Amino acid sequence: MVPDDDLTGLSDSPEATATAPRRRAPKRRGHRTQVTVPAEQWAEISDLADQLGTTANDALVRLASAALTQAAERRALQRLAAERRAAMASASGGGAAADFDYAEYEKAALAMRDEDER
């Protein structure tokens, strides 16, 4: 038999047995899938979901969407940088601008942007 003091806080009242409404993610159309998320990442995703007031699955979808948006922005920036490099090389006729290491400059600019976003 369990001593009475071990049952502190438990009750048969409806208020004690009622569960909170289940948190639901927004309905989405698209491909349904199952993924295995490493435990450390799932803990962070769950914390983020609590902060956002949504489910962990919804937080995971939001993170994926943000990452895809960031990747698209990075590709657009790389295209723009390539166009500008080509324009500078063309305008300089192969002079000092042709010797400038635009790839290194681009990497540094992307790294600075990433640091600013953190």
Side-chain angles (χ1 to χ4, degrees):
M1 177 127 191
V2 177
D4 287 337
D5 59 349
D6 287 347
L7 301 176
T8 305
L10 297 179
S11 171
D12 290 331
S13 70
E15 294 84 23
T17 58
T19 59
R22 183 173 165 212
R23 203 180 268 179
R24 304 290 302 190
K27 295 259 183 209
R28 290 188 177 87
R29 290 183 173 204
H31 184 77
R32 291 183 57 87
T33 188
Q34 181 177 348
V35 296
T36 301
V37 179
E40 316 79 52
Q41 291 176 355
W42 188 253
E44 290 184 48
I45 290 167
S46 295
D47 289 345
L48 176 62
D50 289 341
Q51 292 171 16
L52 296 173
T54 190
T55 65
N57 285 345
D58 182 49
L60 185 59
V61 170
R62 290 183 189 194
L63 285 171
S65 179
L68 290 170
T69 298
Q70 186 178 28
E73 290 171 355
R74 183 173 291 237
R75 286 190 302 272
L77 181 59
Q78 289 170 335
R79 279 192 301 275
L80 179 62
E83 290 170 9
R84 289 184 177 175
R85 279 193 304 275
M88 290 293 291
S90 173
S92 69
D99 296 334
F100 187 77
D101 190 351
Y102 288 98
E104 256 329 288
Y105 177 79
E106 181 181 346
K107 286 179 191 175
L110 289 171
M112 288 172 48
R113 185 197 70 180
D114 290 346
E115 285 180 20
D116 287 344
E117 290 177 356
R118 290 184 199 152

